Amino acid sequence: MLSQSLYQTLRGGEIRLLTIRSQSSYTLESVYLRDNPHYVAVSYCWGDVKDLRNVRVNDYEVQLRGHVCAMLSNLYYKHQVARLWLDMVCINQNDLDEKSEQVPMMATKVYAWLGEADPLIDCVFDVLQEFRDRRREAKYPTYFDAAEQLSYHRQLFCDIYQDKAGALPEQSDLDDDRLHEEFNWLRPLYVRPYWRRVWIVQELVLAKVAVVCCGDKSIDFDDIYGLSLDWGSFEQGFETLAYQKLKPHTKGWATIQAICGHRRRREVVGWDMGGEASCPVDIETSERGDVAMLDEVIGIYAQHHECKLPIDKVYGFRELVPQWKESLVVDYKRSDLEVFLDVAKLDLFEPKKHGGLHVAFRLWSAMGLGDREKFNDCLRQSFPEVYRGMNHGLEIKTHN
């Protein structure tokens, strides 16, 4: 628990930034966003609550989790990051009003911290970095069609992997036959707990620049997906049924693919950026041109990602869905049911907005609000028109 003496009430347009002075000394200061302060945000797992280290922040002795201390030290000494926004420290977690206001804050550059390195993940980063560089330099005949380019890049990736690892991986029971063989080789990267967190989705999709770090290795997030762009449409990452059929430990890769797809879609449609698309790509969007559709956010992310508070299954994706961003007020004083009812009024039952009863029930279940019978009771009490409009074939059944 951080000392409450660290926190003075923030004024409108203010945030707190943490400056790293040394491995165990930090400064916390308030700044105005209108002054365009230079900083980066960190996307990470909070770590074990029982593993605590003593550090000094503004001359107060406080305790931070060991995982966070290791991350800050590594970012400072290996990645030259000194000034950052870290929600655990920069938000007064005991002030629900402040938490409600500060949670939607986003940075233009985000460092995604996967944790400490090991030889296997070091090798994966080396392979990805080499593939990124050689792919940029690659020159193949202009008459190559998509299939020939695919074959070329796959062979290039195999050659690099064999060179870095000494041999290609042997087949394993952990391999998922729904993935390209080469994606199974990246398992040390995507099995990390980081990829199961709710909040990373919004943090990575909205960042203009996202850098993935593990130990002293790093790579731009978009360069990880650069591996996939030649091997299938990014829209494949939004197939919720296919996502559900993946092996549990493989869903981390599908999360990477889906996040990259949303980043790419955002770039293409110039969503919330006011700019023109960098290149023409045919993509499916809803009537509003949403970058993240209700059924994608709920079916891919909310159902399969972890958070401590059920309401974060909504707030953690608020900035991705335009109707939520425009009309949903973050309020950590509201109950789980109240937050569900809030978003249910924002096109959640509207098929034309990529909602519907099945989408609403997925969110209801993801938030742990109860079974189908309780869901139908909620409809009957709070949305009688929706409930009356359901015929026998459309109603969410209470049995089977």
Side-chain angles (χ1 to χ4, degrees):
M1 184 71 66
L2 297 180
S3 170
Q4 292 304 295
S5 302
L6 281 173
Y7 299 110
Q8 303 297 322
T9 301
L10 291 172
R11 289 163 286 192
E14 274 191 321
I15 64 171
R16 298 186 188 92
L17 295 178
L18 186 70
T19 299
I20 306 172
R21 301 299 182 188
S22 70
Q23 192 167 0
S24 59
S25 178
Y26 309 88
T27 300
L28 187 66
E29 61 179 329
S30 301
V31 300
Y32 283 103
L33 287 172
R34 66 169 179 258
D35 294 332
N36 296 317
H38 178 71
Y39 71 99
V40 301
V42 185
S43 177
Y44 64 108
C45 293
W46 278 32
D48 186 354
V49 68
K50 297 179 181 179
D51 179 18
L52 299 174
R53 311 290 170 82
N54 292 322
V55 300
R56 296 195 71 81
V57 180
N58 291 1
D59 293 326
Y60 291 97
E61 186 168 296
V62 300
Q63 291 184 320
L64 291 180
R65 301 184 189 186
H67 177 79
V68 173
C69 287
M71 173 187 73
L72 293 174
S73 176
N74 208 291
L75 289 174
Y76 182 65
Y77 290 107
K78 300 294 179 61
H79 302 284
Q80 291 73 56
V81 173
R83 200 181 194 205
L84 49 85
W85 187 85
L86 187 76
D87 61 348
M88 176 186 286
V89 177
C90 296
I91 297 177
N92 183 352
Q93 299 293 329
N94 292 323
D95 185 336
L96 294 182
D97 290 328
E98 179 179 302
K99 187 176 179 181
S100 299
E101 181 179 344
Q102 291 280 302
V103 155
M105 299 291 183
M106 295 291 157
T108 57
K109 186 172 185 177
V110 170
Y111 280 81
W113 175 254
L114 303 188
E116 297 287 358
D118 60 49
L120 290 177
I121 200 166
D122 273 348
C123 179
V124 168
F125 269 81
D126 289 343
V127 170
L128 290 174
Q129 290 166 347
E130 179 78 9
F131 180 78
R132 172 201 61 198
D133 296 340
R134 292 178 59 181
R135 183 173 177 268
R136 289 172 179 169
E137 300 168 356
K139 295 181 180 179
Y140 40 77
T142 56
Y143 56 80
F144 268 19
D145 60 20
E148 289 170 317
Q149 292 182 37
L150 166 63
S151 178
Y152 176 88
H153 284 120
R154 291 186 72 175
Q155 186 59 53
L156 175 62
F157 186 82
C158 289
D159 291 345
I160 293 171
Y161 195 103
Q162 187 164 19
D163 178 62
K164 296 294 183 181
L168 295 180
E170 296 182 1
Q171 286 190 333
S172 165
D173 292 339
L174 296 176
D175 290 349
D176 196 319
D177 57 13
R178 295 180 181 276
L179 300 183
H180 283 290
E181 180 183 22
E182 295 86 350
F183 294 158
N184 283 307
W185 303 347
L186 302 180
R187 192 160 44 246
L189 171 75
Y190 58 71
V191 296
R192 291 281 175 136
Y194 173 84
W195 302 109
R196 298 196 295 269
R197 289 189 62 242
V198 157
W199 283 100
I200 68 156
V201 177
Q202 187 167 270
E203 292 161 352
L204 296 180
V205 170
L206 298 182
K208 288 185 178 180
V209 178
V211 181
V212 180
C213 303
C214 188
D216 60 359
K217 305 284 187 180
S218 65
I219 190 169
D220 282 3
F221 183 80
D222 293 329
D223 286 327
I224 296 176
Y225 192 52
L227 181 66
S228 300
L229 285 174
D230 299 301
W231 299 357
S233 166
F234 61 75
E235 294 289 336
Q236 293 175 354
F238 307 141
E239 296 174 1
T240 57
L241 291 178
Y243 191 100
Q244 293 168 5
K245 294 177 181 178
L246 292 170
K247 292 183 178 180
H249 61 269
T250 305
K251 290 180 178 178
W253 178 253
T255 293
I256 293 173
Q257 186 180 32
I259 291 173
C260 286
H262 281 130
R263 284 180 61 82
R264 181 65 172 149
R265 185 189 281 170
R266 179 182 183 225
E267 176 188 347
V268 169
V269 301
W271 177 77
D272 201 27
M273 295 172 67
E276 297 182 358
S278 59
C279 57
V281 177
D282 233 356
I283 60 174
E284 176 191 0
T285 58
S286 73
E287 293 176 352
R288 296 166 59 113
D290 301 350
V291 167
M293 303 173 190
L294 283 168
D295 53 349
E296 294 168 355
V297 166
I298 294 169
I300 296 173
Y301 300 133
Q303 278 195 299
H304 302 287
H305 289 71
E306 302 168 356
C307 56
K308 183 178 180 181
L309 302 175
I311 57 177
D312 282 341
K313 294 290 181 89
V314 172
Y315 292 155
F317 310 116
R318 174 182 176 272
E319 302 297 303
L320 301 182
V321 182
Q323 55 265 53
W324 291 8
K325 181 178 180 180
E326 295 167 3
S327 305
L328 180 65
V329 177
V330 177
D331 184 354
Y332 277 91
K333 294 180 179 178
R334 293 181 72 72
S335 69
D336 300 341
L337 179 58
E338 287 174 327
V339 172
F340 175 84
L341 295 177
D342 290 342
V343 295
K345 298 170 186 175
L346 301 176
D347 298 332
L348 190 59
F349 299 112
E350 179 53 64
K352 291 184 179 180
K353 301 296 184 182
H354 292 266
L357 285 172
H358 66 293
V359 176
F361 180 65
R362 283 176 179 171
L363 179 59
W364 174 274
S365 298
M367 295 179 70
L369 292 172
D371 58 16
R372 294 184 175 108
E373 185 173 0
K374 290 183 178 179
F375 176 74
N376 284 337
D377 287 342
C378 175
L379 294 185
R380 188 182 301 110
Q381 295 172 22
S382 301
F383 303 96
E385 292 185 5
V386 173
Y387 184 78
R388 286 195 296 268
M390 294 188 306
N391 59 41
H392 183 73
L394 293 178
E395 182 173 358
I396 302 291
K397 300 298 183 180
T398 60
H399 299 290
N400 299 329

